[in-house]
Each structure stands twice: as structure tokens, then as C-alpha cells.
Amino acid sequence: MAFVVEDGTAKADANSYVTIADADSYFADRGNTAWTGADAVKQAALVKATDYIEGRFGQRFIGSKKTTTQALSWPRTGAEDFADTIIPVGLRRACMEYAVRALSAELAPDLKVDASGLTVVATKKKVGPIETDYAVPQTGLGSTPMLFRPYPAADMLLRGLVYSASQVIR
């Protein structure tokens, strides 16, 4: 699939909210040297970041999609502060922040589970030269696994664009 950036026209084949040039400029302005690699690597990171945004926030964005055929959640109608052809700056910046993280790790890794299906936390314990790996099942109060890891620097950029988990939409 080709690298296609959503420009506000509700493209049916878009797979990124941001161009490589925009991301290069964004990170250069911030002195972030972690944004490196060939264009193909950067494209893949931007696509992964966009996929992450769509999976984590796609159903919670304010307003509704502009068309039924558009590939991504934005542009939207009914988002009061944004024209229906605009990709908000906060969304674009969040996409870039997730993308730089995608260069070094999975944004939404699969949960580790034991044979019974319980999520587990892998732990290492080292005493002197002896090191032991073991997995502890997560059970009991507060043990619900997080499907999506929080990335505060990126997550905060989406404030005002998503309904909170506690809001009721009528």
C-alpha cells in the first residue's frame, strides 16, 4: 500500500495524518534526535502511529466522520472548533509523537497470558550472580490489564478532540 496522507478531503485510501517533511520539521524544532531513519522507516512509523490513534481513539472522537468512505476518522463534522476539512494540529502532533515512539517499540503490544488465559507480568529477580525470570498472574482487585499503554506527551495533545471515557453521549 502506498503512503497516503489525509489532507482534509476525506481520502478513501489515506493511512497517515502527517507527512514525513512535517514530522522532520517538528522534531528538528524540538531537538529530538530519535526521529531518524530512511523515509520508508519514517513512513512505517507514521502509519503505525495513525493505526494506533484510530484503534485507541477512533470511536471516541468528537463529531462524526465527514463521509462514509473515508479511511481515517478525520476530517469530521460536528466538531465545533474545527471546519470539516481540517485535521487538527493536536491530532497531527500526537501522530508525530506516537510515531517517534513506534521507531523503538510496539505501541500496542500483545498482552502476555498464561495457559489459563490470565494476563501475566514478567518479572526478573537478581541476587548476586543468580538471575531468575518468572511470570506473575494478574488477578484480584485492580488487575484489569491495560489494552493501551499511556503515552502522556502524545495523549495530552488529543485533549478536546475525544470524549472522555466517563462522558455519556446522547
Side-chain angles (χ1 to χ4, degrees), residues 30-91:
R30 286 156 181 80
N32 188 332
T33 59
W35 182 247
T36 62
D39 281 356
V41 171
K42 291 177 178 180
Q43 284 178 355
L46 289 167
V47 170
K48 287 178 184 179
T50 301
D51 289 347
Y52 179 81
I53 289 169
E54 292 296 304
R56 183 170 174 197
F57 301 104
Q59 298 298 313
R60 293 183 24 218
F61 283 123
I62 58 174
S64 56
K65 286 184 173 185
K66 184 178 177 183
T67 71
T68 58
T69 58
Q70 71 190 64
L72 302 176
S73 294
W74 288 84
R76 297 180 79 77
T77 59
E80 295 173 11
D81 296 336
F82 305 99
D84 62 358
T85 59
I86 291 180
I87 308 304
V89 171
L91 174 62

Side-chain angles (χ1 to χ4, degrees), residues 16-32:
S16 178
Y17 283 117
V18 182
T19 66
I20 293 171
D22 286 344
D24 288 347
S25 176
Y26 176 84
F27 290 117
D29 288 348
R30 286 156 181 80
N32 188 332

Side-chain angles (χ1 to χ4, degrees), residues 79-104:
E80 295 173 11
D81 296 336
F82 305 99
D84 62 358
T85 59
I86 291 180
I87 308 304
V89 171
L91 174 62
R92 296 175 67 241
R93 287 182 176 173
C95 185
M96 291 182 273
E97 290 290 341
Y98 292 125
V100 76
R101 286 153 179 80
L103 288 176
S104 60

Side-chain angles (χ1 to χ4, degrees), residues 111-120 135-139:
L111 298 173
K112 291 180 174 74
V113 295
D114 64 12
S116 67
L118 292 173
T119 58
V120 295
V136 179
Q138 295 297 107
T139 59

Side-chain angles (χ1 to χ4, degrees), residues 143-165:
S143 65
T144 304
M146 288 193 320
L147 295 178
F148 293 104
R149 178 180 169 200
Y151 298 98
D155 295 347
M156 288 186 300
L157 293 167
L158 295 173
R159 280 187 289 189
L161 299 178
V162 295
Y163 291 109
S164 75

Side-chain angles (χ1 to χ4, degrees), residues 1-5 13-16 43 47:
M1 181 177 210
F3 181 69
V4 180
V5 178
D13 58 348
N15 57 7
S16 178
Q43 284 178 355
V47 170

Side-chain angles (χ1 to χ4, degrees), residues 112-137:
K112 291 180 174 74
V113 295
D114 64 12
S116 67
L118 292 173
T119 58
V120 295
V121 174
T123 305
K124 286 186 179 193
K125 193 172 203 177
K126 185 172 184 174
V127 178
I130 301 170
E131 187 172 5
T132 306
D133 292 333
Y134 57 96
V136 179

